[in-house]
Structure formats: C-alpha cells, structure tokens
Amino acid sequence: MGAEVPGPPSWSEIADWYDSLIRDRSGPHDLAVATTLRLVPDLRDASVLDLACGQGLAARALARAGARSVTGVDLTPELIEAARRYEAADPLGIRYLVADAHALHELSSAEFDIVTCQLALMDIPDLAAALTAVARVLRPRGAFVFVIGHPCFLAPFASTVAAPNGTPGRLISSYLAERFWRSGNPDGVRRVGNHHRTISTYLNALTRSGLALDVVDEPPADGLLAELEPVYSAVPIFLAARAIKPR
C-alpha cells in the first residue's frame, strides 16, 4: 500500500504558522489594519467586537486606538489561544472567546457599538447567517466594518502578469463562478481555502441583513506591500466597507 496522502490543512493546523507570518510583519495585514482603523467610527467610549479575530491583530490595534472595550471571537481554538497569549504578555483588556460567526450565541443582542471583520468574511461558509448575527449584536446606529480580499483581483487562480507596457497587472480567468477553492501555494494562507463570491453577492447580503451601506474603500498598497508586490499599488488587493444598522 502506498503512503497516505495528507489532506488540505485546516486553520487549526496552520495556526502557529499564521501567527508567525503576522508576527514577522505581513504587508497585506499592515494595509488591512490601517484600512480597518480608517473606516471605524470614533472609538472613544465604543464597545467593539472583532469577528473571526484570528490571533488578535486587529483586536489589539482597535484597543490601542482607544476603544472602551474589545471582544475578539474566532472558531479556531488555537488562534484564540495565541490571542490570549498576546493579551497575557501585554494586557489591553481584550476578551477572547471561541465562537461561531454564524450565530454568536455567546453574545447578547445590541451588545456592541462597532463590529469589525478583517480578512475573514470570505472564510465563513454562510455569509447571510454571519451578517444576520452581526446585525443582531449591533446597537442601533452601530457600524459594521469589514475588509476582504478583493473579489475581482483575488479571484480563484488569478495571477500577476505583465501588461504590454511592462507594468504588472492581474489576469482573471474566473470571477462570476462562485465557489469554495484552495490555492496551490504550499506556503500561502489560501491553501486552507476560502469562498469566492462576487461583489454583488456581498453587497446584497449586507442589505438583506438590515444593514445600510455607508462607505466603500479599495485601498492602494503602500509600505511593505507596495515594495514586495507593486501590482497592488495600481490594482486593489482589498475591498472594504462600512455599513450602519438603522435605528
């Protein structure tokens, strides 16, 4: 019998690797944090939920930016444990919980002024359920801020190519077909897989959840990301938005 071929990795299996990636500085994560902080409303006296918080990068940034309280939730226990280790080493008053973004049963209705979700909506299988849960835990006039990999330019199996004038661009061969897919890059985050959805699917799901779109952003790369991947200085790597829960 031949050797058993290992299956694709899970978030639990790559948690230590992912934590090291961020700890050693990641250009995309630097830009995502900056974008999140730019789109959130005034954090003074705000209670914030960081949905699918991973190892707590955005949660820590929100706490340091002045939020009154921050709660981080994630479905992967290993990532929550990593986040708690950072909290123990540098206490910021952040509460971390293992929780399913589809329901958020551990959290009360109208508990938060702001909900953020950084680079994770595309990892959540049931988008409608997650946005319904976000709307439930938000207070009236509360804000939901999310950053996702840009569906147009990070579509399945997209690649960076040179334009006729030599400048880099993105080659997209499949955008409209929504599906779960995994990158073949053995050292990339997307080897775990994510759910490719069109922009219209995201925005329609947002409005159906009862949230009202307020601001949309497509930030250009700067700093480390622009240095390492200059294509994203002209083509956005992220799509970000802020939505408001009506009274």
Side-chain angles (χ1 to χ4, degrees):
M1 296 178 61
E4 183 178 345
V5 177
S10 66
W11 277 106
S12 290
E13 291 168 330
I14 73 163
D16 288 342
W17 170 87
Y18 183 68
D19 181 37
S20 295
L21 172 73
I22 295 177
R23 189 171 59 246
D24 293 340
R25 276 201 72 201
S26 161
H29 288 88
D30 287 352
L31 180 61
V33 168
T35 303
T36 296
L37 293 178
R38 186 169 64 252
L39 290 184
V40 291
D42 190 349
L43 286 167
R44 290 173 297 179
D45 203 35
S47 59
V48 182
L49 170 66
D50 189 30
L51 185 70
C53 67
Q55 51 82 278
L57 177 69
R60 292 189 292 277
L62 290 159
R64 291 184 178 117
R68 173 171 55 83
S69 67
V70 178
T71 298
V73 299
D74 200 282
L75 189 58
T76 302
E78 291 83 358
L79 289 173
I80 288 294
E81 284 305 311
R84 288 171 175 165
R85 287 195 295 271
Y86 285 106
E87 176 65 19
D90 181 16
L92 296 168
I94 303 172
R95 173 180 62 153
Y96 289 108
L97 304 172
V98 175
D100 188 339
H102 292 128
L104 299 177
H105 289 310
E106 297 80 1
L107 304 174
S108 301
S109 297
E111 184 173 347
F112 299 98
D113 301 298
I114 299 169
V115 177
T116 61
C117 187
Q118 180 171 295
L119 302 184
L121 277 185
M122 59 273 197
D123 298 326
I124 298 172
D126 191 335
L127 178 64
L131 293 177
T132 297
V134 166
R136 178 182 66 79
V137 301
L138 269 176
R139 293 176 179 141
R141 300 305 300 165
F144 174 50
V145 173
F146 68 86
V147 181
I148 58 175
H150 203 298
C152 291
F153 304 109
L154 296 186
F157 309 110
S159 58
T160 299
V161 298
N165 65 359
T167 60
R170 295 287 285 170
L171 174 64
I172 312 301
S173 59
S174 177
Y175 169 72
L176 292 174
E178 298 192 343
R179 54 181 159 157
F180 180 81
W181 73 287
R182 297 180 189 271
S183 167
N185 180 359
D187 299 314
V189 173
R190 294 303 142 212
R191 60 189 150 137
V192 174
N194 72 352
H195 298 269
H196 170 67
R197 305 178 177 105
T198 62
I199 292 175
S200 58
T201 290
Y202 279 106
L203 298 186
N204 287 330
L206 195 69
T207 57
R208 290 187 190 114
S209 73
L211 300 172
L213 188 64
D214 183 32
V215 175
V216 177
D217 193 9
E218 297 171 289
D222 58 9
L224 182 61
L225 179 59
E227 177 185 338
L228 296 178
E229 299 192 68
V231 63
Y232 295 120
S233 297
V235 172
I237 191 173
F238 297 139
L239 174 69
R242 180 175 69 226
I244 303 298
K245 180 178 178 177
R247 291 188 185 279

